[in-house]
Amino acid sequence: MHRLFLAVRPPDAVIDLLLDTMEGLPELRWQNDEQLHLTLRFVGEVERPLAEDLAAALSSLRFEPFEIRIAGVGRFDHHKRGALWAGVEPRAPLAALAAKVERICVSVGLPPERRAFHPHITLARWSRGGGASLDPFLARHAALRSDDFTVDTVTLYESRLGREGAHYEAVANYPTDRG
């Protein structure tokens, strides 16, 4: 089985900006450099034939490059666990790109994504109520901003879970300049 997702990887300057905000709050599991990405579609575990079909179908993905930026921070809470994230704006071009990716995923037989698309980059995760002390962090980084950066490539990643957390490996890149 292959555990896959499709994402945009920010440039190094944006990664550095995000890493510089990730401190304190020892109850959080901070993401590392390789884990910082903007997920367009989580695929989940699929057998090799479906993974190969998806990789081939993504070669038809076409989109114009566009500019986005990091804009603020927030949190998702789900029962006793959650995630701390950096927001992204503008949302419209990302939503359009995610919709194109979604159509391709469904075309190869994946079930439709039921959750609304909320563009963000996960900074940390918690469980067992570990997000209780986030208000000072959220206030301190509310104005977090990056320079604009260009989205011109979608990457298909494989996620391997291990004792140290998830390790992500790029399987294929789908840049806008494929002709």
Side-chain angles (χ1 to χ4, degrees):
M1 295 286 269
H2 299 274
R3 187 171 191 259
L4 305 175
F5 65 93
L6 290 135
V8 171
R9 173 80 172 164
D12 289 344
V14 173
I15 296 290
D16 289 344
L17 172 73
L18 296 174
L19 290 171
D20 287 346
T21 69
M22 297 163 58
E23 60 188 6
L25 301 169
E27 67 274 21
L28 299 185
R29 293 184 314 276
W30 293 101
Q31 302 289 85
N32 63 38
D33 177 312
E34 79 163 15
Q35 294 170 323
L36 295 174
H37 62 271
L38 192 157
T39 302
L40 296 170
R41 171 61 146 87
F42 179 73
V43 174
E45 291 194 4
V46 296
E47 297 286 347
R48 179 176 293 280
L50 183 53
E52 290 172 349
D53 289 349
L54 176 60
L58 285 164
S59 66
S60 70
L61 178 65
R62 297 289 181 267
F63 65 100
E64 292 295 318
F66 57 90
E67 300 287 312
I68 61 172
R69 73 194 71 74
I70 299 298
V73 293
R75 67 189 282 169
F76 294 130
D77 289 291
H78 185 70
H79 299 291
K80 294 183 179 182
R81 57 189 174 89
L84 177 65
W85 47 262
V88 183
E89 63 180 24
R91 294 179 178 203
L94 285 165
L97 179 56
K100 288 180 178 190
V101 167
E102 176 66 12
R103 283 191 292 277
I104 291 170
C105 288
V106 170
S107 77
V108 298
L110 291 167
E113 176 59 65
R114 299 284 180 218
R115 293 171 294 186
F117 179 68
H118 179 83
H120 67 280
I121 298 173
T122 300
L123 302 177
R125 298 180 189 282
W126 69 83
S127 55
R128 295 179 296 281
S133 62
L134 287 179
D135 288 344
F137 179 93
L138 294 170
R140 187 170 56 252
H141 297 292
L144 181 68
R145 296 287 182 272
S146 73
D147 291 336
D148 287 3
F149 61 95
T150 302
V151 173
D152 60 3
T153 301
V154 171
T155 302
L156 176 62
Y157 286 94
E158 182 166 2
S159 172
R160 293 191 175 96
L161 301 176
R163 231 179 279 126
E164 303 295 318
H167 169 70
Y168 304 144
E169 181 177 330
V171 174
N173 290 309
Y174 302 94
T176 58
D177 62 358
R178 289 175 285 141

